[in-house]
Amino acid sequence: TGIDVTGKVFADEISTEYAGKIGFNTSDSFTLNGQDTPQYGMGRTSTAQPMGISGYYGLAFASSGAERMRIDASGNVGIGTTSPSTPLHVVGAGDLIRAGADSQQISIGVNTGGGENYIYGSNHPIKFGINGSERMRIDTSGNVGIGTSSPTSSMDVRGTSVFGSGT
């Protein structure tokens, strides 16, 4: 049993009796959240589980006729690239990552025209740390502090320091 259609199909609702699955090749499936999910399609069998969307070779997301994001078969996510090579691979120019609220943001980006990379903060210091402890800071006036969270000059180093070759 089935429907054989040439052309477009429009529906207000699609439901299935086959374990809540809609997809192609539903007999060739994998397990997602403990539920059998079709290789090409989507499925959800209970309200306690998220809906699974699957594509055997990955998923591509598009808008205005162009691919914008991809999750490949390895789980790598690409934004601005169709072949991500790392867990998060972002390609573009200008601000590539921006986080925060309007009054407090950090931006990481690339200025392709000037051949430079950048990290910008707004209205608050940028802190660098390791193992949960601050190790360096650039305050809002541009002072750099190493070993201090309150730098008082362009380069404020507290603790033991070595400058130059040591000779």
Side-chain angles (χ1 to χ4, degrees):
T1 63
I3 301 173
D4 185 5
V5 176
T6 301
K8 296 179 181 178
V9 174
F10 298 93
D12 291 327
E13 180 179 325
I14 298 174
S15 63
T16 176
E17 293 180 23
Y18 184 64
K21 297 176 190 173
I22 300 172
F24 303 97
N25 200 11
T26 56
S27 63
D28 180 18
S29 59
F30 66 99
T31 301
L32 176 67
N33 298 317
Q35 303 297 324
D36 194 40
T37 304
Q39 292 287 14
Y40 304 95
M42 62 182 81
R44 183 170 169 217
T45 58
S46 78
T47 57
Q49 296 293 330
M51 183 178 77
I53 300 175
S54 63
Y56 190 76
Y57 296 105
L59 298 171
F61 300 86
S63 66
S64 299
E67 183 174 323
R68 307 295 180 187
M69 183 175 84
R70 171 180 295 248
I71 304 172
D72 71 12
S74 299
N76 292 337
V77 175
I79 300 173
T81 178
T82 58
S83 54
S85 59
T86 58
L88 177 60
H89 187 162
V90 181
V91 174
D95 289 354
L96 299 178
I97 298 172
R98 182 179 287 178
D102 288 340
S103 64
Q104 183 177 346
Q105 293 184 359
I106 188 161
S107 300
I108 300 172
V110 177
N111 178 350
T112 56
E116 59 190 24
N117 304 314
Y118 62 83
I119 299 174
Y120 288 131
S122 63
N123 300 322
H124 295 277
I126 298 174
K127 301 185 229 179
F128 300 86
I130 189 164
N131 296 330
S133 297
E134 181 180 328
R135 303 295 184 198
M136 184 176 85
R137 152 185 312 236
I138 303 172
D139 71 13
T140 55
S141 63
N143 292 339
V144 176
I146 299 175
T148 178
S149 60
S150 303
T152 57
S153 60
S154 296
M155 176 63 86
D156 188 346
V157 180
R158 309 279 173 97
T160 306
S161 305
V162 176
F163 292 92
S165 65
T167 58

